[in-house]
Amino acid sequence: MNEIKLTQYSHGAGCGCKIAPKLLSTLLKSELSPIEYPELMVGNAECDDAAVYDLQNGTALISTTDFFMPIVDDPFTFGKIAAANAISDIYAMGGKPLMAIAILGWPVKVLPVDVAAKVLDGGRDTCREAGIPLAGGHSIDSPEPIFGLAVTGIATTEHIKQNSTATEGCRLMLTKPLGVGALSTAQKKGKLKPEHAHIAPASMMKLNSIGQRLADIKEVRAMTDVTGFGLIGHLTELCRGSHLSAELEYDAIPVFPEALEYIKEDCIPGGTFNNWKFYGPNVSLSREEDRFILCDPQTSGGLLIAVEEDAVEKVSALLNEEGIEARVFGKLLSQQVPMITVR
């Protein structure tokens, strides 16, 4: 089992497996007449992290699903990362996860099922860390290994955080550094140095549970997690939904410095180019090479937070308490062209 390298059995990795943004926008179009559901607070129309249903009693139900192919070789670690990534959508909405069910696809004639059992154990371990049961699931025989969760959560209705409710003047903060995509690509290409092998997995396995505490701060006006569409993609959705623009200070953005080394060695995920092709026309850069980090597809990335300026100190104190480096790297402005400017 130790000799099996899961990443060799998939054509993509982690959230980098996402369908390209341009194709996704086409896929989601429908000729069917939309049906109004008054209790549905957040659905497809909002391009948010999870669906939210108002239970009409001051609380809301949050529902999400996420799954992908291996981004690491170790099955237990793969299970932990995939679970953390799925649960993150609940935290990004300001919610508390309640339970999860597993989604497993496995090439049973190619990989031993006891390896799949290790993946499931990784998922169980992360669910236990989040304080929720892995209560069931579904499995199929598939050409490539796939794992993820469908997660149900709950939140006070007034504490729901969307990616479309930011306000002008909000400052931008991020709870995890960028660069996971480049590090993972370096691993797949056999270029990752042994001393750097722990960086990406440690970040990806970390739960975004801080989102549940941030929900209590009313000045946190919007949140979303940064995953396969990179910082620029998810910030674009936040700006579009909120009818705002953004100005970023590139050197203030949290980045794994080791990732920059591998980008110079051409360890750039294919998703980076897809993201730039779709979102790039809305972005003005001071340096063209900055797009490789800004569009780097993250797996189980951090929470992008839009917080009112007078509450930055309060949010920073909370982040520091959780061992997260608090750093403001941008601000939201009135709507203009280009949508995002990077200094």
Side-chain angles (χ1 to χ4, degrees):
M1 187 181 300
N2 292 332
E3 297 178 358
I4 291 174
K5 294 186 176 182
L6 287 182
T7 56
Q8 295 181 357
Y9 294 88
S10 62
H11 75 281
C15 288
C17 297
K18 278 188 173 183
I19 291 176
K22 185 175 182 179
L23 293 177
L24 182 61
S25 64
T26 301
L27 183 153
L28 292 176
K29 290 179 181 177
S30 175
E31 296 180 0
L32 298 176
S33 300
I35 301 174
E36 294 296 325
Y37 296 94
E39 293 83 8
L40 187 64
M41 293 175 60
V42 183
N44 275 331
E46 285 76 21
C47 297
D48 219 318
D49 297 298
V52 181
Y53 190 89
D54 189 350
L55 296 175
Q56 303 291 303
N57 60 359
T59 59
L61 196 68
I62 308 171
S63 181
T64 187
T65 185
D66 213 317
F67 51 88
F68 46 63
M69 288 163 279
I71 193 166
V72 292
D73 290 323
D74 178 68
F76 187 80
T77 304
F78 170 43
K80 285 187 65 67
I81 291 169
N85 179 72
I87 297 169
S88 179
D89 286 342
I90 302 295
Y91 292 132
M93 305 300 296
K96 173 186 177 181
L98 296 179
M99 68 174 182
I101 55 175
I103 299 163
L104 177 71
W106 203 255
V108 294
K109 295 180 181 178
V110 178
L111 288 170
V113 292
D114 56 350
V115 178
K118 288 289 186 183
V119 174
L120 285 168
D121 270 349
R124 287 191 188 95
D125 192 59
T126 291
C127 287
R128 185 183 297 117
E129 185 182 347
I132 64 173
L134 184 56
H138 183 66
S139 59
I140 62 168
D141 184 356
S142 64
E144 296 177 300
I146 298 168
F147 181 66
L149 303 177
V151 192
T152 301
I154 199 165
T156 303
T157 305
E158 63 180 359
H159 285 174
I160 290 291
K161 303 296 182 183
Q162 296 181 237
N163 69 354
S164 58
T165 51
T167 54
E168 184 178 347
C170 277
R171 269 39 182 181
L172 298 171
M173 306 176 79
L174 186 62
T175 63
K176 291 183 184 181
L178 303 176
V180 162
L183 290 166
S184 300
T185 300
Q187 176 201 14
K188 198 158 188 176
K189 287 188 172 185
K191 294 183 177 182
L192 191 69
K193 298 175 182 177
E195 60 267 30
H196 297 159
H198 70 286
I199 297 172
S203 177
M204 293 185 288
M205 287 188 290
K206 185 177 181 180
L207 287 168
N208 280 324
S209 53
I210 188 68
Q212 192 177 338
R213 298 184 67 188
L214 288 166
D216 295 332
I217 302 176
K218 63 180 174 52
E219 294 90 352
V220 173
R221 301 305 300 251
M223 282 198 303
T224 188
D225 62 347
V226 178
T227 56
F229 298 147
L231 175 62
I232 286 297
H234 294 282
L235 177 57
T236 296
E237 296 300 337
L238 187 150
C239 287
R240 279 179 180 160
S242 303
H243 306 289
L244 295 169
S245 292
E247 183 177 276
L248 311 184
E249 294 293 333
Y250 179 84
D251 291 338
I253 298 171
V255 177
F256 288 116
E258 297 84 358
L260 299 174
E261 298 178 27
Y262 293 109
I263 286 173
K264 290 177 182 177
E265 295 183 35
D266 201 32
C267 295
I268 302 169
T272 298
F273 299 101
N274 289 333
N275 290 340
W276 180 251
K277 185 177 181 180
F278 189 72
Y279 296 111
N282 298 317
V283 182
S284 172
L285 298 178
S286 295
R287 298 169 299 196
E288 279 297 306
E289 63 268 24
D290 291 348
R291 71 188 190 276
F292 296 124
I293 278 294
L294 295 168
C295 292
D296 188 60
Q298 305 304 287
T299 297
S300 192
L303 298 178
L304 174 61
I305 308 163
V307 55
E308 293 178 5
E309 184 178 11
D310 59 3
V312 165
E313 188 174 339
K314 184 194 301 186
V315 170
S316 296
L318 178 58
L319 296 180
N320 290 333
E321 183 183 323
E322 293 285 331
I324 300 168
E325 183 183 0
R327 188 189 304 176
V328 172
F329 67 88
K331 61 182 177 181
L332 297 176
L333 312 169
S334 59
Q335 203 166 27
Q336 56 190 261
V337 177
M339 181 184 293
I340 299 171
T341 302
V342 186
R343 306 294 184 192

